[in-house]
Amino acid sequence: MCVGIVVPGLSTAPGAEHDPSNLCLLEATSGSGIACRPLLTRLEMSRSRSVILLPLSCPGERRYEIDTGDDDDERAMSEKTIYLKDTTYNELIKFRNKWLEDSTLQNYQSAHSTLSIMGALLYVTRLYPTFPIPISPSAWLVVSALQECGAAMKLNEKQSQQTRVEDFTRDGRFFERDTVRLRPGWKFLSPVVMRENSVS
């Protein structure tokens, strides 16, 4: 299993920040290092039997609801939410640019496979707490992005490196361990199944 995070695309055209086709998937790969590809293209080229998108909601955001209220408190909350979403958007752009640059400078693509194998072996042998190596490089990338944009609780580097792909699907309200803990008000919404048990 692997995991990536949806980030703003590379287009700087007017209105691009509101264009769904400008969304990209940032992920750690063996072939291209830290790669940023258009989301729709990445979904089409995926050979995975199952592809799931896990939407993230920020404080004050009400997905799938129509806001008909007009009181001052509701408008104030809306302004705070818009500011928070704008801040998150800008932080994800900074994170995307930094990791793409670092990937090129450090030739990450040549180290990804080795890191993945070592992380898996250390996890199976239960030795991972003693080595500064991520259990899952792709999960480490995503949780780092969530921390940088303010969505996830700040963890020390060792805790971030111990994040696994399956931790994203466990609700932190019910699990004390092995889950990605979000900051108050942030939450993962119900998974959206894009493909299930099919071969592309």
Side-chain angles (χ1 to χ4, degrees), residues 23-27 29 31-32 35-39 41-42 45:
L23 295 175
C24 287
L25 187 69
L26 186 72
E27 58 184 338
T29 70
S32 305
C36 184
R37 304 185 181 101
L39 178 60
T41 301
R42 182 64 183 88
M45 65 185 288

Side-chain angles (χ1 to χ4, degrees), residues 132-154:
I133 296 176
I135 293 175
S136 166
S138 58
W140 177 48
L141 174 70
V142 174
V143 79
S144 297
L146 293 175
Q147 291 180 81
E148 285 297 317
C149 74
M153 299 289 285
K154 284 289 185 180

Side-chain angles (χ1 to χ4, degrees), residues 76-94:
M77 178 62 70
S78 177
E79 291 175 0
K80 292 177 182 177
T81 302
I82 292 173
Y83 173 78
L84 181 57
K85 293 185 72 172
D86 287 343
T87 301
T88 302
Y89 179 89
N90 292 327
E91 289 301 319
L92 284 175
I93 290 177
K94 292 178 185 177

Side-chain angles (χ1 to χ4, degrees), residues 12 63 67 118 143 154 178 186 188:
T12 57
R63 298 282 182 95
D67 185 2
M118 291 181 64
V143 79
K154 284 289 185 180
D178 300 330
W186 290 86
F188 289 122

Side-chain angles (χ1 to χ4, degrees), residues 5 11 18 46 62 78 98 106 109 121 134 153 174 186:
I5 184 167
S11 174
H18 303 297
S46 174
R62 300 188 303 171
S78 177
K98 176 183 181 299
Q106 299 178 21
Q109 67 183 51
L121 289 174
M153 299 289 285
F174 309 111
W186 290 86

